[in-house]
Amino acid sequence: MGIKSGTDLRLRRRGTGAGAFGAFAIGNLAGAAAVIAQRTRCTADSFCGNPTRTVQKTVLEAVSVTRETAAIVVTSCSKRKSLVPGRDLCAASLRPGNPAAVAQDWAGRLAAAASRIPAHQLYKGRAFGEAALAARAICASNYVISAGVGLIPVELEIPAYSLTVAAGADNILSRLRPTEAAQPAIWWRELKAACGSASLQDLATSGSGPVLIAAGSSYLSMIAPELGALQERDRARVRLFTAAPRHAVPALLEPMVMPYDRRLEA
């Protein structure tokens, strides 16, 4: 999946070493991550190896993982951020239209943004912080699922923005037409295409270690089809920490679920 012409987000990465998808949110998530890692025979030694493999480009950056047995921690982004975005980077300012057109418009605005900071400095929610702690505890890679910028490593530099699939003034679903197209999974597909984002499949197939994902209810609905499309052997390595009610979890994903309470939505 290449980067579309004219949608260069110019996201920059600081430093080297393990990256990772942010993943857990409440309670002693680091402890839960460590137990899962141990049961999958992913020791601390194997977690903390040097980056050796390239998955595929996420925006302008190649996503690196440590070793084939390294854990990957993934979390959804947070509404609470350290910077206030300009009006052009608020979903409410987008012209309503079909998902592909809206995604292209949004990607162009991201590309034009002049000011950026690393994602781990932008997101300030509790769940995001707990995920970062869990990732550090097991030397895992740390990544973010964002309805605004796609699937990114936490060290990637991104502009401040306000776009979500959760309820609120900047819910992107309210900008999608026709009404039947206003679905989180459809937006996620078009956003990835417009921004040249990597996919969860890229992560899951990058090694043999556990993939630990923390996602609130609205973000689970966004990524559920992608998780369901994973090969059985890859799904077996995924653990999904979510506060989503049981009826909201597709049957194919139920074996992955590690239930958490509503504090995961913070």
Side-chain angles (χ1 to χ4, degrees):
M1 180 187 299
I3 302 172
K4 303 287 185 180
S5 174
T7 60
D8 173 4
L9 302 190
R10 300 182 183 179
L11 304 186
R12 295 180 291 275
R13 199 171 186 171
R14 284 183 177 173
T16 58
F21 284 62
F24 310 116
I26 64 167
N28 188 358
L29 215 54
V35 169
I36 293 172
Q38 183 178 32
R39 290 181 178 180
T40 53
R41 297 182 180 178
C42 295
T43 66
D45 288 340
S46 66
F47 285 147
C48 298
N50 295 322
T52 57
R53 296 195 64 194
T54 296
V55 182
Q56 81 155 69
K57 288 187 176 180
T58 298
V59 194
L60 290 184
E61 292 294 326
V63 178
S64 295
V65 295
T66 53
R67 292 178 179 170
E68 288 198 0
T69 53
I72 297 173
V73 173
V74 187
T75 190
S76 47
C77 62
S78 63
K79 180 179 180 180
R80 189 156 64 95
K81 299 180 175 70
S82 62
L83 297 176
V84 177
R87 184 177 181 278
D88 283 352
L89 286 178
C90 293
S93 70
L94 289 164
R95 182 187 298 274
N98 69 73
V102 175
Q104 288 290 342
D105 183 2
W106 179 251
R109 297 182 186 203
L110 291 174
S115 178
R116 296 167 176 77
I117 63 172
H120 65 81
Q121 293 180 16
L122 180 64
Y123 299 123
K124 294 300 179 182
R126 171 176 177 166
F128 181 85
E130 292 292 339
L133 289 175
R136 286 197 294 271
I138 60 173
C139 299
S141 296
N142 192 191
Y143 290 83
V144 183
I145 297 168
S146 164
V149 295
L151 185 59
I152 62 169
V154 296
E155 65 269 24
L156 214 60
E157 293 188 350
I158 60 177
Y161 69 93
S162 182
L163 184 153
T164 181
V165 291
D170 287 310
N171 183 331
I172 188 60
L173 304 184
S174 68
R175 318 309 292 171
L176 305 183
R177 304 289 187 273
T179 304
E180 308 84 71
Q183 299 179 34
I186 291 177
W187 170 250
W188 181 241
R189 181 190 68 205
E190 298 301 336
L191 175 72
K192 288 188 299 175
C195 294
S197 175
S199 68
L200 291 171
Q201 182 177 15
D202 296 320
L203 291 184
T205 58
S206 67
S208 58
V211 180
L212 311 175
I213 302 174
S217 302
S218 56
Y219 280 76
L220 176 59
S221 64
M222 187 172 76
I223 64 173
E226 192 171 353
L227 289 175
L230 294 175
Q231 294 293 318
E232 184 176 359
R233 64 179 180 276
D234 295 320
R235 288 201 307 272
R237 293 185 292 106
V238 176
R239 293 297 178 270
L240 183 60
F241 293 79
T242 184
R246 187 179 183 87
H247 66 79
V249 179
L252 196 60
L253 305 188
E254 286 183 0
M256 306 177 184
V257 173
M258 308 285 286
Y260 266 65
D261 63 32
R262 298 297 296 179
R263 287 177 294 171
L264 184 59
E265 308 284 343

